[in-house]
Amino acid sequence: MKVINYLLGYKDLKIVQDNEMFNFSLDSVLLPNFVTLNKKIDRILDIGCGNAPIPLILSTKTNAKITGVEIQKEVYDLALESVIINKKENQITIINKDINDYYKEIETDSFDVITCNPPFFKYIESSNINKNEYKTIARHEVKLNLNQLFSIAKKLLKNNGVIAVVHRPERFVEVVEEMKKNNIEPKRVQFVYPKKNMEANIMLIEGSKNGKPGMKILPPMYSHKDNGEYTDDVKKYFE
C-alpha cells in the first residue's frame, strides 16, 4: 500500500513509500549527512536511489545537480513522485536504468560526489533471500556488488572526487580492498553503534579517487539511548 510520510524527522520533506517494498531506514539519513560536500560541487550521483531519500536530503545541503539511478520501475515511480511532491524537479533527476548499463553512457569524470547505500549481503545459491523481489534486490548483491560499484565510481568520479558508502562493519576490509583496487583511497570511516556497549552495526566510509594515502577514523556514533530514543548525535540531523 502506497503512503506519503514526512522523511524521517525532516518536517519539510515528504517521501512516497510502499509498505510491500523496501522502505528506507536510518542508513539513508546518516549517509547524506556523512559525505563531504563543499560549494564547488557541481554534480552528485546516488546509485540505487530507491524512493529517493538520499537525493532529497542532499538537496537540503547543496545546490548541486543530483542524479538518482534506480533499477526497479515501481521503486523509480515512487522516487519520481517523491521528487515532484517536494518540488525538486529542477535539482533532482531520477533515472530508471541498471547502473551497470547506464554508466557506460556517461562521460568519464562526470561527477564530484557519488553516494550509495548498496545491498549488504553477498548472493550465493544458498542465500536466504526474501520472496519479495524488491527486498531481495535491495538487500542482496543480485544486481550490484562491491567490485561493480567501485569500478563504476572509478570511471564516473572526477579526479579527487569522493564516493561515500554505508555498509556493514563486518565487510569493512572487503570494502577497503575493492576501493583500493579501483584507485579510490579510503579517507574517512565512522562506525555507528545501536547503543553503548554494543557492537557496531553500521559503517560509513568515504574514499577519494586518486587521493593521497591516509585515513581518518572518526569518533564513534551511538544511534539510540538506553530508553530506545534517538541520541542527540542522530537527532541533530533532523533539525
Side-chain angles (χ1 to χ4, degrees):
M1 191 177 94
K2 198 157 76 168
V3 291
I4 297 175
N5 298 121
Y6 281 102
L7 177 56
L8 202 58
Y10 284 81
K11 293 287 183 284
D12 54 347
L13 287 178
K14 291 177 178 168
I15 191 156
V16 185
Q17 308 210 89
D18 187 315
N19 297 339
E20 292 181 14
M21 296 182 194
F22 192 83
N23 288 342
F24 76 94
S25 62
L26 185 60
D27 298 343
S28 301
V29 174
L30 295 175
L31 185 62
N33 283 289
F34 168 78
V35 65
T36 301
L37 301 172
N38 62 50
K39 291 197 171 120
K40 294 179 184 171
I41 287 169
D42 193 34
R43 294 182 72 196
I44 298 174
L45 174 67
D46 184 44
I47 295 175
C49 69
N51 55 344
I54 291 171
L56 287 171
I57 295 172
L58 286 170
S59 75
T60 69
K61 305 170 79 62
T62 176
N63 294 320
K65 296 286 186 190
I66 302 162
T67 303
V69 180
E70 173 52 51
I71 189 172
Q72 302 187 74
K73 175 67 167 71
E74 292 85 351
V75 184
Y76 156 84
D77 289 339
L78 296 178
L80 209 53
E81 211 174 320
S82 295
V83 170
I84 290 165
I85 63 170
N86 288 289
K87 299 184 169 62
K88 297 278 188 181
E89 305 97 308
N90 289 336
Q91 187 179 10
I92 301 173
T93 304
I94 307 294
I95 307 286
N96 177 210
K97 289 191 177 180
D98 183 338
I99 189 64
N100 289 299
D101 300 325
Y102 181 58
Y103 91 99
K104 296 169 188 167
E105 302 170 21
I106 305 172
E107 279 186 31
T108 303
D109 304 345
S110 285
F111 292 94
D112 302 282
V113 172
I114 294 175
T115 52
C116 185
N117 181 357
F120 292 147
F121 305 111
K122 288 191 173 190
Y123 178 72
I124 48 175
E125 289 301 317
S126 59
S127 289
N128 180 20
I129 60 169
N130 198 296
K131 296 208 167 40
N132 177 326
E133 188 190 8
Y134 302 114
K135 293 183 178 179
T136 295
I137 289 174
R139 288 175 172 153
H140 289 83
E141 294 179 337
V142 184
K143 302 287 185 185
L144 183 72
N145 62 37
L146 288 172
N147 181 259
Q148 289 168 320
L149 171 62
F150 291 118
S151 61
I152 289 166
K154 178 184 179 182
K155 180 197 170 185
L156 297 187
L157 277 178
K158 295 176 185 173
N159 202 37
N160 293 315
V162 300
I163 176 168
V165 172
V166 57
H167 220 293
R168 289 293 171 257
E170 58 264 31
R171 298 192 68 186
F172 172 59
V173 173
E174 197 181 344
V175 170
V176 168
E177 284 174 347
E178 292 295 347
M179 277 182 159
K180 289 183 81 72
K181 206 186 283 182
N182 287 287
N183 296 357
I184 295 166
E185 191 61 36
K187 297 300 291 179
R188 298 165 64 236
V189 66
Q190 185 170 38
F191 294 100
V192 183
Y193 301 75
K195 291 179 183 173
K196 288 196 171 176
N197 301 316
M198 292 179 79
E199 289 185 4
N201 64 341
I202 297 172
M203 172 186 70
L204 298 158
I205 186 166
E206 181 179 86
S208 171
K209 178 175 167 180
N210 299 322
K212 292 176 183 170
M215 181 167 65
K216 286 183 180 171
I217 311 286
L218 302 185
M221 181 186 289
Y222 302 95
S223 58
H224 293 84
K225 299 176 185 174
D226 286 338
N227 64 6
E229 279 182 29
Y230 283 128
T231 59
D232 292 343
D233 272 353
V234 172
K235 278 184 186 167
K236 74 181 179 201
Y237 294 147
F238 303 151
E239 289 168 2

